[in-house]
Structure formats: structure tokens, C-alpha cells
């Protein structure tokens, strides 16, 4: 098994497709590689099937036009929780003070349903971790490694022609277009002239 990021991206896309088989309204994952090396304290820092299913909850919420978060996407509300429960995720009774119901975990039925997918993705993630941890002076890791970036970073607002927006790391958007499910046009970072930082 190759351990390059494109292979891991393909495994993430396959896992997403497995989720779509059970939840057909889930939109396609535009850029699976955007999940590699990215972390979010509200959505889970470690990339795993559970995190992917969490992201799928956001995808279904977007497809339904449901606002499932507030506080710049950090606080996951009861609408998020309702969709999460539909998809096989559980949460403790009380919400977290700053992230709401973001700390969801797979319920036993979902673990059984997705077991082959979880195992396949875990193998790919382990191989990717081994490959990226074995850097030597003679290893070339590309521009992200040279500049100290893991692919994550500061997210900026990207917009499409119909007015929808997403937060994205500019380097991720530069890798390949991220297409809006509403209008089919690519998201772009608007130019801001003289904006205060």
C-alpha cells in the first residue's frame, strides 16, 4: 500500500462514499485532502472515521439548509446533535461550554455498520503517519514542510457566485477547486483592498 497523501485522500473519499450509501443526501466531498493535516478543536483534532462522520453531519446540515453551529463554527447546537444522532453518533447529556455538542462518539450500531470502512481507513492513516514520521535529511517533503506547515493554518473566507461561503486554508484552495454544491461554481477568496488585518 502506498503511503502518499493522494492515496490517503482516496481512502478518505472512499470512506465518505461509504457514508453516502447510508445517507444519500450527503453531498460529495469536494477536497478530501483538505482534511489531511488539518485540525479543529471543535470538530476533533485527530483525523479518524469518527471525525469524518462528524464532518458528514455538517455536510448534511448544509444540504438541508440547517444552521448547525454558531460562534464562528465552534459551538455545535442541538440541530447538529439531532443530525449526529441520525447518523450514529452519541453525545453526553450536557453540552460543552464552548463547543456545545461537538464531542460526539460512534454508537455501537454505527461501529458495526462501518467496521470494514473504519479498519481500512485506520490502516491508511497508520501508513500515512509512518511515512510522514520517517523524514530524514535526504527526504523531500515539499513546500508545506519547508515552510513549517502541516497543511493546516489560518482559514479565510472563500465565497461562490451564489453567496455561500466556507472557511478554508488558502494553500488547500490553491491545490484544487472546491466547488459549491448549490451553484456548482468554485469557491474563491475575495480580494480585499485596504482591509484592516
Amino acid at each position: 500500500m502506498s503511503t502518499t497523501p493522494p492515496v490517503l485522500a482516496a481512502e478518505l473519499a472512499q470512506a465518505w462514499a461509504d457514508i453516502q450509501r447510508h445517507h444519500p443526501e450527503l453531498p460529495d466531498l469536494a477536497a478530501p485532502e483538505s482534511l489531511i493535516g488539518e485540525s479543529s478543536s471543535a470538530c476533533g483534532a485527530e483525523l479518524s472515521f469518527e471525525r469524518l462522520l462528524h464532518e458528514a453531519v455538517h455536510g448534511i446540515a448544509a444540504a438541508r439548509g440547517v444552521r448547525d453551529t454558531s460562534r464562528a463554527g465552534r459551538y455545535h447546537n442541538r440541530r447538529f446533535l439531532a443530525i449526529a444522532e441520525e447518523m450514529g453518533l452519541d453525545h453526553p447529556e450536557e453540552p460543552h461550554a464552548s463547543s456545545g455538542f461537538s464531542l460526539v462518539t460512534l454508537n455501537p450500531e454505527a461501529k458495526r455498520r462501518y467496521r470494514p470502512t473504519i479498519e481500512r481507513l485506520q490502516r491508511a492513516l497508520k501508513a500515512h503517519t509512518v511515512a510522514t514520521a520517517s523524514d530524514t535529511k535526504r527526504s523531500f517533503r515539499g513546500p508545506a514542510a519547508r515552510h513549517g506547515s502541516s497543511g493546516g493554518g489560518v482559514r479565510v473566507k472563500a465565497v461562490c457566485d451564489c453567496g455561500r461561503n466556507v472557511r478554508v486554508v488558502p494553500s488547500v484552495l490553491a491545490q484544487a477547486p472546491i466547488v459549491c454544491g448549490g451553484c456548482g461554481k468554485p469557491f474563491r477568496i475575495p480580494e480585499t483592498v485596504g482591509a484592516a488585518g
Side-chain angles (χ1 to χ4, degrees), residues 5-181:
V7 171
L8 179 54
E11 290 293 345
L12 286 165
Q14 181 58 53
W16 191 267
D18 292 349
I19 298 168
Q20 283 178 310
R21 273 198 294 282
H22 296 282
H23 303 279
E25 69 182 308
L26 178 63
D28 291 338
L29 183 59
E33 61 275 6
S34 68
L35 295 172
I36 300 170
E38 184 157 326
S39 66
S40 163
S41 59
C43 296
E46 185 177 319
L47 185 54
S48 65
F49 181 77
E50 198 167 76
R51 162 103 186 276
L52 194 65
L53 196 58
H54 175 125
E55 296 298 338
V57 172
H58 292 303
I60 287 182
R64 292 179 182 175
V66 171
R67 186 169 180 198
D68 63 340
T69 63
S70 59
R71 300 181 197 164
R74 289 185 309 273
Y75 191 87
H76 294 58
N77 60 34
R78 290 192 184 277
R79 291 181 292 273
F80 170 86
L81 182 58
I83 297 170
E85 288 172 346
E86 286 177 38
M87 297 184 70
L89 293 166
D90 289 335
H91 188 278
E93 280 296 312
E94 295 301 314
H96 185 272
S98 63
S99 62
F101 295 101
S102 70
L103 305 174
V104 289
T105 56
L106 285 166
N107 69 28
E109 181 185 332
K111 285 180 185 176
R112 282 189 300 276
R113 177 187 309 140
Y114 294 113
R115 183 176 177 190
T117 304
I118 292 167
E119 290 172 353
R120 192 178 63 241
L121 186 57
Q122 283 176 335
R123 283 192 301 272
L125 287 165
K126 183 178 179 184
H128 177 72
T129 300
V130 168
T132 56
S134 62
D135 284 344
T136 67
K137 286 183 180 180
R138 298 187 47 80
S139 297
F140 179 72
R141 302 284 306 138
R146 279 198 317 273
H147 300 294
S149 170
S150 65
V154 177
R155 296 180 192 197
V156 297
K157 184 194 282 188
V159 297
C160 67
D161 287 349
C162 69
R164 296 178 72 210
N165 66 71
V166 295
R167 292 291 213 184
V168 64
V169 178
S171 63
V172 170
L173 192 60
Q175 293 172 10
I178 298 174
V179 179
C180 174

